[in-house]
Amino acid sequence: DTATLLLAGIMRHTDFFRSPVRKETHMAASELVGIGADQMRARALTQNFRPFALMQLIARAEVRSKEDASPVRDNASNGGAGAPVLWSFLTAEDFEKTGRSPADAPEILRALRNTFGERRILLLLWQDPHMKRVRAAVSGEQELLDGVSAREPGSMQDASLMLAGDFENFVSAEERLASLLREIL
C-alpha cells in the first residue's frame, strides 16, 4: 500500500511522466513497482485528485451543512418520518477566500454525497460572489429532481439540477425550497 501511494505521488507530480524527469525518478518508480506497487491503483488514486483550493471550498461546504427532516415530516405516506434533507451553504466570501467559482457546484455536490452518503435530497445554496444573490443546486433521487424541475426551472449538470433562478438571501432560498420539498415529498 505504501509503495502504491508513493508511486501515485510520483505519477501525479510528473503528470504521468509527461513532464521532464530525471533518471532517478524513473528508477524510483521502477523500484516501487518491483516491491509491489499497484500501477492501476496508483493511476486511479491520481485521477481522484482535487486542487487544494477546491478541497478548501468543499470543506467549507461540509462544515456549513445541516440535516433537516421538516420538509418530509408531514408526508402521510411515510408515517411522518422521512430521510433528512441535507442542506449545505457557501458564502461569497468562501469563493473569494479559496479563489474558486460557483462553476464548482457539481463537484461540491459530488463531494458532499461522498462525505454524507446518498440522500433523497441534497441542496447546495451558495451566494454568488459578484451579484451577492443566492443560487441553488439540488441532487438526489431522479423522481424528486423531476418534481423540483417541474416547479423550478433549471438544467441538469452531472446528476444535479442547477436552478435557474436566484434568491435575495439564504433565508428566503431555504424557505422557498423547503416549501417546494413539502409539496413534492
Side-chain angles (χ1 to χ4, degrees), residues 7 23 38 43 47 60 69 77 97 104 115 143 154 156 158 165-166:
L7 181 60
K23 67 179 181 180
D38 182 338
R43 180 174 290 279
Q47 291 174 345
R60 287 170 178 257
S77 67
K97 295 253 183 191
D104 292 317
T115 300
E143 69 180 78
M156 290 299 291
D158 190 34
D166 59 18

Side-chain angles (χ1 to χ4, degrees), residues 101-133:
S101 78
D104 292 317
E107 181 68 24
I108 295 165
L109 281 165
R110 222 180 357 265
L112 291 170
R113 282 192 305 268
N114 288 340
T115 300
F116 295 107
E118 290 297 324
R119 304 293 172 122
R120 290 191 70 202
I121 290 284
L122 189 151
L123 291 106
L124 173 64
L125 304 179
W126 72 89
Q127 186 180 34
D128 185 282
H130 303 292
M131 303 294 291
K132 303 299 186 211
R133 304 236 345 139

Side-chain angles (χ1 to χ4, degrees), residues 1 20 23 28 34-35 43 84 98 113 131 151 153 176 179 182:
D1 287 342
K23 67 179 181 180
I35 61 171
R43 180 174 290 279
T98 60
R113 282 192 305 268
M131 303 294 291
R151 291 164 177 82
R176 170 69 186 121
S179 174
R182 279 191 292 278

Side-chain angles (χ1 to χ4, degrees), residues 50 53-54 57-58 61-62 88-90 95 98 100-114 122-129 134-139 155-163:
R50 290 183 176 128
L54 178 57
L57 186 61
I58 290 167
E62 288 173 345
S88 190
F89 305 86
L90 287 169
F95 292 108
T98 60
R100 302 301 295 191
S101 78
D104 292 317
E107 181 68 24
I108 295 165
L109 281 165
R110 222 180 357 265
L112 291 170
R113 282 192 305 268
N114 288 340
L122 189 151
L123 291 106
L124 173 64
L125 304 179
W126 72 89
Q127 186 180 34
D128 185 282
V134 174
R135 303 285 316 272
V138 184
S139 178
S155 62
M156 290 299 291
Q157 280 185 340
D158 190 34
S160 299
L161 177 63
M162 312 303 271
L163 299 183

Side-chain angles (χ1 to χ4, degrees), residues 169-176:
N169 54 45
F170 286 108
V171 172
S172 64
E174 193 172 353
E175 287 173 353
R176 170 69 186 121

